[in-house]
Amino acid sequence: MSGFSEDRRLRAAVKRDKLLGMLRFGDYSVDVGARVVERDGVEQHLEPQAFDLLVHLLAHRERVVPKAELLDEVWGDQFVSESALTTRIKEVRQALGDNGTRQTVIRNFRGRGYRFVADAVEDLRPRTARAEVDAHAALVGRDVDLAEAAGLVHTSKLVTLVGPGGVGKTTLARELIGRSGDQHADGVRVVELAHTSDPASLIHVLRRDTGLVDARTSDALIAAVAALDAVILLDNCEHLIAEVGRLVAGILARNGTVRLLATSRERLGVPAEQVWPLAPLGETAAQQLLLARARLTQPDFSWGVGDEVDVNRILHAIDRLPLAIEMAAARLPTIGVSELADLLTSRLDLLGSADRAAVARHSTIDELIGWSESLLTGTERDLLTTMSVFSGPVTITDIAAVAAGEAAELAMGPLAGLVDKSLAVADTTRSPTTYRLLETVRAYAEKRRPPDVAAAHARHVAVTVTTCDRLIRTVDEPVATARLEALTAEIRAAHAWARTHDTVLAGELTAALLRYAHERPWAEPNAWAGALAELPDLAEPARLAAFAALAAEASNRGDFTRSRHLAEQAANSTDLRVVGFAYDTLANIGLYSGDLDAAHHHAALLLELGEHCDDAMIRSLGVSTEVLSFVYDGQVGEGEAAFERLNTVTELSPTSAAWIAYTEGEVLAAAGRIAPATDAYRRAIELGTSVGSLFVVSVSNVSSLAAATRASDAPLDAFVPLLEEYRRTQSLTHAVTTLRNLIEAMVNAGMTEPAMRIAGALSSSAVKSTYGAESDRVEAVRGAAIAAAGSESVDEWLREGARHDAPWALDHAIDILNERRAATE
């Protein structure tokens, strides 16, 4: 019914991390587990569906939740009208002291959906002592910066927070977007650039971190980003300053609704950029932060009045930079105020400048890190160097694999020492706990890292990805998916290293990522494959793995000639994963282009290969292709028989089960059994969403609407969120299929003129052609239009539409449907 795969992934993450145990806003508290809403301790009655509605809006308070998603989430398989949703919204508002006029808790965004907008939502889960200190101290002394920078973010399209390393730009930026997100329908997005060293990766990081994974070209991505009603944080831009500047200039040139917030040691140099310089802390704020951080090590720590001179010596030596204060504070309880002041003053005086203002403040940070490092044990120093190879937060298992040590010994020994000394950060809110070096510390430590550490890192990542590739083909796919998502930055770094130093390893990584990247879809590995394929003297296994990835990419673009050429070569690989992926691509080309004999042939090869290597995922793809090739050829009975005969694969991964459910839906829909077909599509959507397999979710949504259209009961409003999502992600292939189904629904609803204009815009040779049953339906719709309005009018409307293209058809359809809905509200 609805296609909100990325949003459902967010919902799954929310539930998995138990973010909704107990929440409070204003006078109200919501206990999700007990299903109770209270105001000042007095329970407020809510019907079960109204409570579920409130919880879903709370879970996704960072964005506008479409009506179709709420209907799907709360009512599931039940078919209800929007009036049921409106009734429950009113019930929630009444229970929370809101109404449709003030909308202080739940706001209606006309034509889009609803959003929870009440301020000061507080998570009432127990917090650690460190979390309490962090929450209190992170923004000490930043009230003026917060107020002034928030005003700039509200009025400007681009704001850059500028300051030296360690001054707290990221902390301030994240607080700013947290406060401004409620003002934007698409909420906030964070694009982390600290771990991206290759300028060519910038566009892929933007695509992934913004969730615009279907925007396959750079231009499409820039357009989609510009169109977001969101605040996007571009964090740590300084090492890619020129590339980020060009990218930001391109986004702003689109004159869209997005607002950008950047952090950097220097301005981006883009027209209309508003710069807010972030200075070190004032004296009083610096003292407060130093004391708060020192008490993390010794809760009763304090200093006397006579120590204030030495305290100020410490703060002057480290320029009152928050990061430097944290590192100095970790030593303060054990060394003492006076001795620490002497050590820091003598150490940092070695900078040799008579004018401290002339010394770059990041040099102060480097000196402090060097001093902190000199106080480490040998094993702590070695681990610090090793950990600099990791691009993001990783588990103790990852660290131990690269450091060639025992996980328990590392965790209890040198790793604990690095955390205690504020050189590494442990995130205990995750399970398992993850660790990372502070970014400035990592940059310092990697300068002396020996080459064998990067090699060990790349080998570990390759082994991990290969293991996950095996698991995503089984019922353990959710575990493997979570692992791969967490390792994205490490995979990026490992593949880049391998392309330069070990192309055999690069080929292994490419092969292991084929299936995972294709199903999500994750476009970045295709770019890596393209770079790999261009290398001279590339070994055959690596070359064919790259060809397999590039073949699938070409197929998705509709370039079937290039795709077929690459896939046929890849099918000669000795790596059965590559062979299976190539067969699947060739099978899909047959289904897309109407070459059903080729689809049958490659379905048989997939079935045979799946049996040979005992791979349930490959076999399920063979089942799906075999059945669909019959159905799309109009042989519905043969398709039903093949489905019953071949569908004996057990222990399927969620993605494989989703494709089987989708296939069942196609069989049932072709047989005219619309209700059970819709149920099958819904199962496919739920299964695919559970592991982030967006490909099967998208096609299932399209087919579900198509089935409802055939039954003449597809509400036109149900097309809007799906079309808007395709416009946002620039996914025109799925948009065209959806529009063809919309045309039929519009003709059924008496909207013949706009339907035929849209049909005309889709008649271009550049648009995916139809065949078989779909072609018959297109002709039947045209016949129905002629019967309703006459051939002369229909031909004229088709000619008018043919002056435009598919993107115009998408925009026009959304506008028409929104105007229709507004007229009826």
Side-chain angles (χ1 to χ4, degrees):
M1 177 178 179
S2 58
F4 308 97
S5 50
E6 185 64 22
D7 296 337
R8 286 188 176 186
R9 277 208 300 173
L10 290 172
R11 181 171 72 245
V14 165
K15 291 179 178 178
R16 181 174 63 248
D17 293 337
K18 301 179 181 178
L19 294 179
L20 290 178
M22 173 77 82
L23 296 175
R24 177 180 292 157
F25 50 93
D27 299 331
Y28 294 88
S29 64
V30 180
D31 187 330
V32 177
R35 299 181 65 82
V36 171
V37 177
E38 293 183 348
R39 180 179 186 182
D40 290 331
V42 179
E43 184 173 346
Q44 307 295 304
H45 175 72
L46 277 180
E47 293 294 329
Q49 290 170 334
F51 185 87
D52 291 341
L53 187 67
L54 171 61
V55 169
H56 194 72
L57 289 170
L58 273 166
H60 300 283
R61 57 188 181 274
E62 79 285 354
R63 64 182 175 88
V64 174
V65 182
K67 294 178 182 178
E69 178 180 349
L70 290 169
L71 288 167
D72 194 26
E73 175 68 22
V74 176
W75 281 272
D77 294 339
Q78 303 177 50
F79 182 81
V80 296
S81 65
E82 284 193 10
S83 62
L85 175 60
T86 303
T87 299
R88 295 307 184 202
I89 288 286
K90 289 180 179 178
E91 183 181 340
V92 174
R93 282 176 169 157
Q94 289 172 357
L96 301 179
D98 195 6
N99 61 48
T101 302
R102 293 188 295 121
Q103 297 193 9
T104 56
V105 178
I106 297 176
R107 183 178 301 165
N108 178 25
F109 288 78
R110 180 177 291 274
R112 303 193 67 175
Y114 297 94
R115 183 174 182 181
F116 188 93
V117 294
D119 293 333
V121 176
E122 180 185 4
D123 186 353
L124 299 182
R125 291 176 299 163
R127 304 174 68 182
T128 65
R130 180 166 191 118
E132 295 289 353
V133 174
D134 286 346
H136 174 74
L139 295 166
V140 64
R142 295 303 188 194
D143 292 346
V144 173
D145 293 300
L146 267 174
E148 296 296 330
L152 290 176
V153 171
H154 181 68
T155 58
S156 306
K157 290 294 184 71
L158 170 63
V159 177
T160 304
L161 303 181
V162 174
V167 78
K169 299 184 293 295
T170 294
T171 299
L172 183 69
R174 290 179 185 260
E175 180 69 15
L176 284 170
I177 63 172
R179 295 186 179 192
S180 61
D182 287 346
Q183 304 166 21
H184 300 273
D186 292 321
V188 300
R189 314 288 168 92
V190 177
V191 181
E192 176 53 70
L193 300 176
H195 312 309
T196 304
S197 57
D198 181 6
S201 295
L202 176 60
I203 199 75
H204 300 295
V205 175
L206 179 67
R207 177 183 287 110
R208 189 168 178 86
D209 287 355
T210 56
L212 302 173
V213 292
D214 285 338
R216 296 188 177 276
T217 68
S218 297
D219 286 344
L221 176 62
I222 289 171
V225 169
L228 287 173
D229 181 12
V231 179
I232 296 179
L233 169 59
L234 303 170
D235 202 15
N236 295 294
C237 300
E238 51 273 349
H239 59 300
L240 295 171
I241 197 74
E243 292 80 7
V244 173
R246 286 192 290 270
L247 177 65
V248 166
I251 293 171
L252 295 181
R254 299 281 181 153
N255 198 27
T257 52
V258 75
R259 294 187 182 276
L260 302 174
L261 175 64
T263 69
S264 177
R265 294 186 182 181
E266 59 180 300
R267 65 185 302 154
L268 301 184
V270 176
E273 179 183 20
Q274 294 290 319
V275 176
W276 182 257
L278 196 59
L281 294 175
E283 185 175 292
T284 300
Q287 290 177 358
Q288 292 172 352
L289 181 59
L290 183 67
L291 182 60
R293 295 306 190 192
R295 284 177 173 171
L296 286 176
T297 303
Q298 182 178 323
D300 61 349
F301 176 81
S302 188
W303 56 68
V305 176
D307 293 326
E308 288 188 357
V309 171
D310 287 327
V311 168
N312 287 330
R313 286 174 61 207
I314 293 170
L315 295 173
H316 177 73
I318 58 179
D319 288 330
R320 299 194 304 277
L321 293 171
L323 176 58
I325 290 171
E326 291 197 29
M327 286 190 284
R331 291 287 182 179
L332 192 55
T334 56
I335 294 179
V337 174
S338 177
E339 185 177 353
L340 181 60
D342 290 341
L343 284 170
L344 286 176
T345 301
S346 62
R347 174 86 187 189
L348 299 182
D349 277 348
L350 296 177
L351 288 172
S353 172
D355 180 9
R356 284 192 59 80
V359 180
R361 282 197 166 88
H362 66 80
S363 296
T364 301
I365 290 290
D366 283 352
E367 285 295 313
L368 186 63
I369 295 171
W371 170 75
S372 298
E373 184 190 38
S374 70
L375 302 175
L376 297 176
T377 67
T379 53
E380 287 173 341
R381 192 177 300 113
D382 290 343
L383 185 60
L384 182 73
T385 302
T386 298
M387 285 186 65
S388 70
V389 79
F390 292 107
S391 297
V394 291
T395 68
I396 186 63
T397 302
D398 297 313
I399 297 170
V402 178
E406 293 294 330
E409 293 178 3
L410 288 174
M412 298 300 293
L415 184 54
L418 295 180
V419 173
D420 289 342
K421 296 172 180 66
S422 293
L423 294 170
V425 176
D427 186 350
T428 58
T429 65
R430 299 189 182 189
S431 181
T433 298
T434 60
Y435 302 86
R436 64 177 177 85
L437 293 184
L438 295 170
E439 182 54 36
T440 311
V441 175
R442 189 180 76 89
Y444 176 91
E446 71 178 353
K447 295 174 185 176
R448 65 168 188 278
R449 188 177 66 222
D452 62 326
V453 175
H457 172 268
R459 288 193 296 270
H460 166 64
V461 171
V463 169
T464 303
V465 173
T466 298
T467 300
C468 288
D469 179 54
R470 288 197 298 268
L471 291 178
I472 65 170
R473 301 161 186 271
T474 71
V475 293
D476 290 324
E477 182 182 15
V479 176
T481 297
R483 182 80 167 115
L484 288 169
E485 287 179 350
L487 282 180
T488 298
E490 309 308 322
I491 296 170
R492 181 181 296 122
H495 205 290
W497 181 90
R499 291 197 303 274
T500 301
H501 299 91
D502 188 342
T503 55
V504 172
L505 189 65
E508 292 174 5
L509 271 167
T510 300
L513 287 168
L514 287 172
R515 181 53 56 188
Y516 173 81
H518 179 69
E519 294 292 349
R520 268 52 205 174
W522 180 21
E524 193 170 3
N526 292 333
W528 302 339
L532 181 63
E534 293 175 359
L535 296 177
D537 303 321
L538 191 63
E540 188 78 348
R543 185 174 68 89
L544 296 183
F547 281 2
L550 296 174
E553 180 187 45
S555 174
N556 290 334
R557 290 198 315 269
D559 187 351
F560 298 142
T561 300
R562 171 175 166 78
S563 177
R564 187 179 292 108
H565 174 70
L566 291 169
E568 286 174 347
Q569 293 184 75
N572 294 316
S573 174
T574 56
D575 187 331
L576 296 184
R577 295 170 302 178
V578 175
V579 174
F581 193 79
Y583 285 167
D584 185 39
T585 299
L586 291 166
N588 286 332
I589 293 172
L591 293 176
Y592 295 156
S593 64
D595 187 353
L596 299 178
D597 287 339
H600 275 295
H601 172 68
H602 289 101
L605 292 177
L606 284 166
L607 288 167
E608 181 181 351
L609 181 62
E611 290 287 354
H612 172 72
C613 58
D614 193 24
D615 189 320
M617 176 172 280
I618 292 178
R619 188 164 186 270
S620 67
L621 291 170
V623 171
S624 181
T625 304
E626 179 71 10
V627 173
L628 293 177
S629 60
F630 280 122
V631 171
Y632 295 168
D633 198 26
Q635 302 179 56
V636 179
E638 287 289 339
E640 289 179 308
F643 187 80
E644 294 298 327
R645 182 175 69 254
L646 297 172
N647 186 28
T648 58
V649 188
T650 58
E651 297 294 307
L652 290 175
S653 69
T655 296
S656 295
W659 281 114
I660 292 296
Y662 165 77
T663 303
E664 183 180 9
E666 293 289 88
V667 172
L668 293 168
R673 300 170 61 189
I674 303 303
T678 301
D679 290 340
Y681 293 135
R682 188 181 301 282
R683 288 199 311 276
I685 292 167
E686 291 172 350
L687 287 163
T689 297
S690 71
V691 288
S693 288
L694 309 188
F695 191 4
V696 66
V697 169
S698 183
V699 298
S700 298
N701 273 300
V702 173
S703 291
S704 181
L705 272 177
T709 301
R710 270 173 268 177
S712 299
D713 64 356
L716 292 178
D717 285 352
F719 285 87
V720 175
L722 197 57
L723 291 174
E724 287 181 337
E725 181 71 5
Y726 290 148
R727 179 168 65 180
R728 182 179 72 83
T729 58
Q730 298 292 297
S731 183
L732 282 179
T733 299
H734 294 312
V736 167
T737 301
T738 307
L739 286 170
R740 284 175 174 150
N741 289 294
L742 172 63
I743 292 166
E744 183 175 358
M746 291 176 71
V747 171
N748 291 339
M751 301 175 66
T752 306
E753 181 177 346
M756 290 299 98
R757 287 199 175 97
I758 294 170
L762 300 181
S763 63
S764 165
S765 59
V767 177
K768 180 175 75 75
S769 61
T770 62
Y771 68 90
E774 184 182 37
S775 181
D776 293 341
R777 287 180 59 208
V778 169
E779 284 302 311
V781 171
R782 185 173 182 275
I786 291 173
S791 60
E792 185 173 336
S793 294
V794 168
D795 289 343
E796 175 61 25
W797 295 331
L798 288 170
R799 283 194 296 271
E800 290 176 2
R803 299 181 188 128
H804 304 283
D805 56 12
W808 175 88
L810 180 57
D811 289 338
H812 187 61
I814 293 171
D815 291 343
I816 289 292
L817 295 180
N818 281 335
E819 289 171 5
R820 176 180 179 273
R821 179 163 53 189
T824 59
E825 289 183 349

